[in-house]
Amino acid sequence: MDFFLDKNMESEIMKVSADVFSAVNLIMNPTTPEIERRKAHELLEHFKDTSPLCAKAGFFLIARSNPPVIRRCGFQLIENYVKLHWNNINADEKVCIKNNTMQILASGTGPVLEEVMYIKDALSRVVVELAKREWPQNWASLMEELHNICRLGDAQRELVLLIFTRLTEDIVHFQNIPEKRRKEMYAVLSSHVPNLFTFFHETLTEKSEKYIAKNQCKITDSETLTNCRIIQVTLETLSVFVDWVPILNFTEKRPLFSLLCKLLHYPDLCLHSAKCLLNILERKGKPSDRNVLLFFFEEIDIFNAINNKNVRSLDASSHLFFKEFLQCLLALASNLSTSIDQFAVGIPQNFSLYLNCVLVFTCHPSVVLSHLAQIIWLHIFRNAKLSTNECIVELVPTLLKYEAEKLIKCGYPSKDDCISCNFSLLTFDSDEEFEIEFSKSRSDILENLRNITKVYPKQTFSFGSLLLKSLVNGQDWKTVLDYPTAALNAVSCWDAIVSYMDASCGILMKNIETLEVKELVNDGLELLNLALNFICNDPVILSFALSCISSLFFFISFQPEQKLQVLEKIFSYLTCTVKTDCMDKDVMNLRRHASALLIKLCMNFPELLCLNGIIYATKCRLFFRMIS
């Protein structure tokens, strides 16, 4: 290398390099005494900060014959020298450092599958630090040089992709460059975006064709694995561009994004592809830009991606991919809803395929994945045009079943009573974390039920009636729900139906004068009578039943003579003498619940206070109950 033409200097560099080599070995050796390790650290840091031979020693240490940890230290010495001393060194040394760095880049750091990642990252950091100080004013040929280096092999192409990634992150995302300088580099980088996208497209197309061909033949040789690695790095690089480049690049490069959707079908590439798609769909910009992104609804490969996968696999990488995939679907729903409201666009042709994908995850045993699906339904049912689409009408009965099942509280990572517990172990470190996520999920489910009730009141109430009747009749929900995965014990089902009835009946009560609600009166009164006549020896379940009576009470306005029966039921709970092995705490909670309900009903219906002097009689009964 140019640095080592002078034999005397080469001897001096070899000496200081040996000292650095020894210091690094002392630091990395776990048996080194703490005092010696501290001294080695101090020596190394002092050399980095003060020595004019820092970069020269670095180039000496990065030889492939040295261990990776020494080579990494060599690259760090060069990077540190560029950062601290670039403005103080002469032009010849600057040119020498640039030329040597590009020679190393052209020769590659080692085979793609063999070289450790931190060595590749270290070399890319050096090039980026040089670019931040020299490009484009003093290094106008940088892009052309990088383009030529890519042609030398896969190892070089991977390094160039890593350089583009870090350079773009520093300029656009992290913005860790002085503002004036950053704007200059941003402008030049933007001018190269069309060529860069062509490069990304050509790389992905070339490598994907080879990878897919061998993957179909189930060939996993080194060439296949190398192609897979280059595709992954290209997708990672593309991901840092797609959220800020002009939207025109998406409309002109449709085949590129069709390829991204196709790569969702391959386990080794699906996560990288999903992250890239998510950055596209979540990009900031004008509402008109979101409208343009609706072309993704035409990409059937997105919606077919999960058909070739086991969505209930307990593999951690698959679970991570599904999270990214669902966030892509969520971004699509958000963009579609916005475009319908602001640009009056029509429903996409593949909307039913999209809904089927969301439905698959709505009933997923993972509370995290199911919750993401619930957020998507929120976007759909809050939009008047989407919520009344014929595709939605067909799915409502199935969706209600899934919503009811997801209201059942189960899946604690500390338990093993259902399949959800296994998925919780992938995500949560404690039951407390699960509780927080489940509470958020249930809140969104109930909001969905309210929205569904506004549009489909009869279907929502009828299904809730079916759920409540099955519990009153002593049956579990296995006969009502299709292949449930939740733990269907009596208490959890009653807890779920209380939330369901409260959400749906709360909306019906606010629209009591509408024709659709009036058509439900007979069914509502029948269900109320069924709850009033329910008998059980468990005060916990009786408390749940009382909550259902409270939700259904508004139907009394259509048959006022039943008010007395409701009050008598409440008073029976106030003076509860249930013979049970449960602790007195459960009975006391039941009485408190009945008292609170009585106060609530009397506030909403003051005429109850005048019914046959029943309040006076109740006070007497409560008094004798307390002193007995």
Side-chain angles (χ1 to χ4, degrees):
M1 291 190 180
D2 296 342
F3 275 134
F4 306 134
L5 296 177
D6 187 330
K7 295 297 182 181
N8 293 330
M9 181 177 289
E10 182 175 353
S11 175
E12 185 178 357
I13 291 171
M14 291 180 65
K15 180 180 181 302
V16 297
S17 298
D19 293 338
V20 172
F21 196 114
S22 176
V24 172
N25 282 335
L26 284 173
I27 293 170
M28 300 304 297
N29 189 343
T31 62
T32 302
E34 186 61 30
I35 296 177
E36 292 186 23
R37 179 177 286 108
R38 189 181 303 112
K39 289 181 179 179
H41 267 296
E42 292 174 355
L43 184 150
L44 188 59
E45 292 302 317
H46 179 74
F47 179 76
K48 282 183 180 180
D49 295 339
T50 62
S51 177
L53 301 178
C54 194
K56 299 176 178 64
F59 282 108
F60 187 84
L61 292 171
I62 61 178
R64 290 190 191 176
S65 57
N66 288 330
V69 67
I70 300 297
R71 295 172 62 201
R72 182 188 185 187
C73 180
F75 283 116
Q76 288 177 334
L77 289 176
I78 302 170
E79 179 189 357
N80 195 72
Y81 188 75
V82 171
K83 284 182 176 180
L84 296 181
H85 305 289
W86 191 256
N87 294 332
N88 300 323
I89 61 178
N90 59 53
D92 291 340
E93 188 174 0
K94 289 180 180 179
V95 172
C96 197
I97 291 175
K98 285 195 296 185
N99 290 342
N100 284 331
T101 301
M102 298 308 284
Q103 287 177 23
I104 295 167
L105 186 63
S107 64
T109 54
V112 172
L113 301 178
E114 297 177 14
E115 187 65 88
V116 292
M117 189 60 209
Y118 59 77
I119 294 295
K120 303 173 188 177
D121 181 66
L123 175 54
S124 68
R125 291 171 69 99
V126 173
V127 178
V128 169
E129 291 304 322
L130 290 172
K132 286 159 66 174
R133 288 156 179 80
E134 294 289 290
W135 181 68
Q137 287 85 352
N138 301 323
W139 200 1
S141 62
L142 173 61
M143 286 296 179
E144 183 180 355
E145 290 180 40
L146 293 177
H147 180 71
N148 292 332
I149 287 173
C150 283
R151 299 174 180 176
L152 299 177
D154 288 333
Q156 290 85 347
R157 183 174 301 194
E158 181 187 19
L159 290 169
V160 171
L161 287 167
L162 292 173
I163 290 168
F164 284 141
T165 300
R166 179 168 290 279
L167 181 63
T168 305
E169 287 177 341
D170 286 354
I171 295 174
V172 180
H173 298 282
F174 301 147
Q175 300 187 10
N176 54 8
I177 306 172
E179 185 61 20
K180 182 179 178 181
R181 178 75 179 126
R182 190 192 72 81
K183 288 181 178 180
E184 293 175 352
M185 298 184 70
Y186 181 89
V188 179
L189 181 64
S190 297
S191 68
H192 287 279
V193 163
N195 293 333
L196 289 174
F197 266 63
T198 300
F199 166 61
F200 298 147
H201 187 199
E202 292 175 351
T203 301
L204 282 176
T205 302
E206 175 193 349
K207 298 301 179 181
S208 296
E209 288 177 353
K210 295 178 180 179
Y211 176 81
I212 292 172
K214 290 203 171 186
N215 187 275
Q216 290 174 344
C217 298
K218 298 182 179 180
I219 299 175
T220 54
D221 56 9
S222 60
E223 181 184 358
T224 305
L225 296 176
T226 299
N227 288 332
C228 179
R229 172 59 189 163
I230 298 300
I231 295 171
Q232 290 173 347
V233 179
T234 307
L235 291 173
E236 291 171 0
T237 306
L238 183 60
S239 292
V240 303
F241 280 86
V242 292
D243 61 345
W244 63 273
V245 299
I247 196 69
L248 186 64
N249 292 280
F250 301 109
T251 56
E252 291 183 347
K253 297 292 182 182
R254 285 282 295 275
L256 170 60
F257 300 106
S258 296
L259 182 56
L260 291 182
C261 299
K262 188 175 183 179
L263 294 178
L264 291 171
H265 294 263
Y266 298 91
D268 293 330
L269 303 172
C270 59
L271 181 59
H272 296 79
S273 184
K275 288 181 177 180
C276 189
L277 287 171
L278 182 59
N279 284 349
I280 298 171
L281 293 168
E282 286 189 337
R283 58 177 278 131
K284 298 178 182 179
K286 301 176 182 178
S288 57
D289 291 350
R290 293 192 175 191
N291 190 25
V292 172
L293 293 175
L294 293 183
F295 75 79
F296 277 105
F297 274 100
E298 302 171 15
E299 303 292 342
I300 299 180
D301 277 319
I302 289 184
F303 310 124
N304 292 337
I306 62 170
N307 294 340
N308 298 328
K309 295 178 178 291
N310 182 5
V311 295
R312 297 195 175 183
S313 169
L314 282 168
D315 178 60
S317 60
S318 296
H319 192 265
L320 187 59
F321 162 68
F322 292 138
K323 286 173 64 177
E324 296 289 336
F325 179 77
L326 272 169
Q327 291 182 72
C328 290
L329 297 184
L330 173 58
L332 274 175
S334 176
N335 292 342
L336 178 59
S337 179
T338 300
S339 297
I340 287 176
D341 291 338
Q342 298 189 14
F343 303 101
V345 302
I347 304 297
Q349 185 177 358
N350 294 324
F351 190 54
S352 59
L353 293 176
Y354 172 84
L355 292 176
N356 287 332
C357 281
V358 181
L359 203 62
V360 166
F361 289 102
T362 305
C363 63
H364 198 282
S366 168
V367 67
V368 174
L369 299 182
S370 177
H371 186 199
L372 285 170
Q374 297 298 335
I375 300 174
I376 295 174
W377 290 117
L378 283 176
H379 281 278
I380 293 173
F381 280 103
R382 284 171 177 168
N383 186 284
K385 191 172 181 179
L386 290 177
S387 61
T388 55
N389 183 263
E390 59 182 8
C391 296
I392 293 290
V393 176
E394 298 172 358
L395 292 179
V396 166
T398 303
L399 179 58
L400 289 174
K401 292 180 181 180
Y402 294 161
E403 300 291 60
E405 181 180 347
K406 289 303 169 183
L407 287 172
I408 297 173
K409 196 171 190 177
C410 61
Y412 285 91
S414 63
K415 296 183 180 180
D416 190 22
D417 54 357
C418 64
I419 190 175
S420 296
C421 300
N422 299 327
F423 285 95
S424 294
L425 288 172
L426 293 175
T427 310
F428 306 111
D429 294 327
S430 65
D431 287 354
E432 289 74 18
E433 289 184 7
F434 170 82
E435 285 266 9
I436 293 171
E437 181 64 24
F438 181 82
S439 297
K440 294 178 182 177
S441 178
R442 175 177 276 196
S443 177
D444 286 335
I445 293 171
L446 296 177
E447 183 61 24
N448 271 327
L449 285 173
R450 295 184 189 99
N451 292 329
I452 296 172
T453 305
K454 292 176 183 178
V455 187
Y456 308 100
K458 291 183 179 179
Q459 289 176 273
T460 310
F461 182 77
S462 297
F463 185 69
S465 175
L466 185 61
L467 292 172
L468 182 54
K469 286 178 180 178
S470 65
L471 294 177
V472 169
N473 295 329
Q475 302 172 349
D476 60 29
W477 285 354
K478 289 182 181 179
T479 57
V480 182
L481 305 178
D482 293 334
Y483 307 106
T485 59
L488 301 180
N489 60 73
V491 173
S492 63
C493 288
W494 272 101
D495 178 50
I497 193 59
V498 166
S499 299
Y500 185 103
M501 298 303 295
D502 182 64
S504 58
C505 291
I507 297 298
L508 296 177
M509 183 172 59
K510 293 178 181 178
N511 300 276
I512 197 169
E513 297 300 327
T514 61
L515 178 61
E516 288 182 317
V517 175
K518 290 181 178 179
E519 291 175 351
L520 295 172
V521 169
N522 292 333
D523 293 336
L525 290 172
E526 178 188 353
L527 193 61
L528 178 59
N529 282 323
L530 193 65
L532 290 171
N533 295 324
F534 175 64
I535 300 174
C536 179
N537 288 329
D538 188 339
V540 175
I541 291 179
L542 287 177
S543 184
F544 289 135
L546 193 60
S547 295
C548 292
I549 293 172
S550 175
S551 298
L552 295 166
F553 188 78
F554 74 97
F555 283 110
I556 290 291
S557 59
F558 295 97
Q559 194 171 332
E561 58 271 19
Q562 277 197 311
K563 291 179 181 178
L564 186 59
Q565 184 182 358
V566 174
L567 285 174
E568 288 177 345
K569 188 68 175 180
I570 294 174
F571 292 140
S572 69
Y573 291 152
L574 283 171
T575 58
C576 179
T577 56
V578 176
K579 302 298 182 183
T580 176
D581 294 332
C582 294
M583 297 177 63
D584 291 340
K585 181 180 178 181
D586 293 333
V587 178
M588 184 60 68
N589 287 337
L590 176 60
R591 292 176 183 167
R592 288 173 178 167
H593 190 175
S595 301
L597 180 57
L598 180 62
I599 294 171
K600 174 184 174 182
L601 295 182
C602 289
M603 290 177 65
N604 294 333
F605 305 93
E607 65 275 11
L608 292 176
L609 294 171
C610 304
L611 287 174
N612 300 326
I614 197 165
I615 299 297
Y616 175 79
T618 302
K619 287 183 178 179
C620 294
R621 293 171 65 185
L622 287 174
F623 175 77
F624 288 116
R625 176 69 179 169
M626 291 172 63
I627 64 175
S628 62

